[in-house]
Amino acid sequence: MSLSALPRHVAIIMDGNGRWAKKNAFSVMLGHRKGVEALRDIIRYSSDAGIQVLSLYAFSTENWTRPEAEVKALMGLIVEFFTSEIEELHRNKVKIRILGDVEALPDKARAAVISAMDTTKDNGGLQLNIALNYGARDEILRAVKSLAMKSADQLLQPQDITWADFAQELYTKDQPDVDLLIRTSGEQRLSNFLLCQSAYAELLFPETLWPEFTVSLYKDALATYQRRERRFGGRT
Ligand code: IPE
Ligand code: IPE
Ligand code: MG
């Protein structure tokens, strides 16, 4: 059997930090910290392997409902990540885009992510999307509102709106759809992640908790993807 090409766009729901911490009798915070370490390796490998787009779910619009101390700690980790990693990411030509409402982030986190996007804006390597304060329903609603405004302003006719017009209003504008979506920790749900972009994505649900997700497991996931037959509704 011949293997298909590597996915152009990989999306990952990095889940299981809390359970990993509990299993090892560590604080949730340490779980998130270990999660960031795992993420570094996956970004590096994706960049080296020539993946075009990598989307990582870091914080959902629903994660604000977690205990205040955890939210605060997560925001702190985000600032730390962008501060400590930006040099290497920039050197490797990684281009950062935030998916989600940046305006609603705490000041320091907002400043850190805006600076990271700005520093890397002209890079042509791996497109790294970090979903932060992201929810697909929120994204869809924004797109609908923007199209409604454009049509109210007579910039387009409602009956002429195409999927391409809609896709241009999403945070992932100008990027290919998700080919492979991985969710670690064994949970088999999408939790409001990239619902439009994953319409024909191949889904993988490895049991591994995110802090234990290694490059070797990532390579296994990519190989599994390459053995899948994608049909997109047609007959091959
Ligand atoms: C995912 O790990 C990371 C974030 C949501 C930020 P969790 O914290 O959801 O881990 P579990 O699901 O409790 O194990
Ligand atoms: C999804 O995981 C969000 C991130 C990984 C950032 P959650 O742990 O928040 O999702 P649910 O609550 O299990 O659906
Ligand atoms: Mg979880």
Side-chain angles (χ1 to χ4, degrees), residues 14-20 28 32 58-59 63 66 70 74 185:
M14 310 181 289
D15 198 17
N17 295 350
R19 275 161 286 166
W20 181 85
V28 173
H32 291 314
F59 194 88
N63 286 150
R66 292 191 179 196
E70 186 180 354
L74 278 167
S185 87

Side-chain angles (χ1 to χ4, degrees), residues 57-201:
Y57 207 2
F59 194 88
S60 74
T61 44
E62 287 73 37
N63 286 150
W64 294 110
T65 62
R66 292 191 179 196
E68 201 184 322
E70 186 180 354
V71 171
K72 234 179 159 169
L74 278 167
M75 291 298 147
L77 260 188
I78 285 158
V79 175
E80 204 178 303
F81 172 80
F82 281 105
T83 315
S84 66
E85 298 303 305
I86 195 65
E87 207 177 294
E88 180 184 336
L89 292 169
H90 190 39
R91 199 177 339 112
N92 291 330
K93 302 272 174 281
V94 173
K95 183 175 178 171
I96 296 166
R97 187 188 291 190
I98 302 300
L99 314 182
D101 184 6
V102 171
E103 294 310 313
L105 293 175
D107 291 348
K108 279 188 184 161
R110 188 176 61 245
V113 302
I114 289 176
S115 155
M117 282 194 282
D118 194 50
T119 304
T120 62
K121 69 179 187 310
D122 296 322
N123 287 345
L126 172 73
Q127 170 68 59
L128 178 63
N129 294 332
I130 309 272
L132 213 60
N133 190 20
Y134 173 88
R137 285 184 170 174
D138 175 63
E139 180 183 38
I140 291 165
L141 201 55
R142 279 162 187 275
V144 169
K145 283 182 186 167
S146 173
L147 290 172
M149 302 276 272
K150 284 181 181 170
S151 101
D153 290 343
Q154 312 282 320
L155 294 170
L156 50 77
Q157 296 298 318
Q159 66 274 21
D160 295 337
I161 296 172
T162 62
W163 176 254
D165 294 327
F166 189 84
Q168 279 301 105
E169 302 292 340
L170 299 175
Y171 289 119
T172 50
K173 125 191 215 234
D174 297 328
Q175 297 180 359
D177 277 347
V178 175
D179 295 302
L180 169 63
L181 188 145
I182 302 168
R183 182 179 188 142
T184 57
S185 87
E187 304 294 358
Q188 303 195 2
R189 56 176 171 267
L190 298 176
S191 302
N192 206 10
F193 193 42
L194 299 177
L195 299 184
C196 293
Q197 299 86 340
S198 300
Y200 269 99

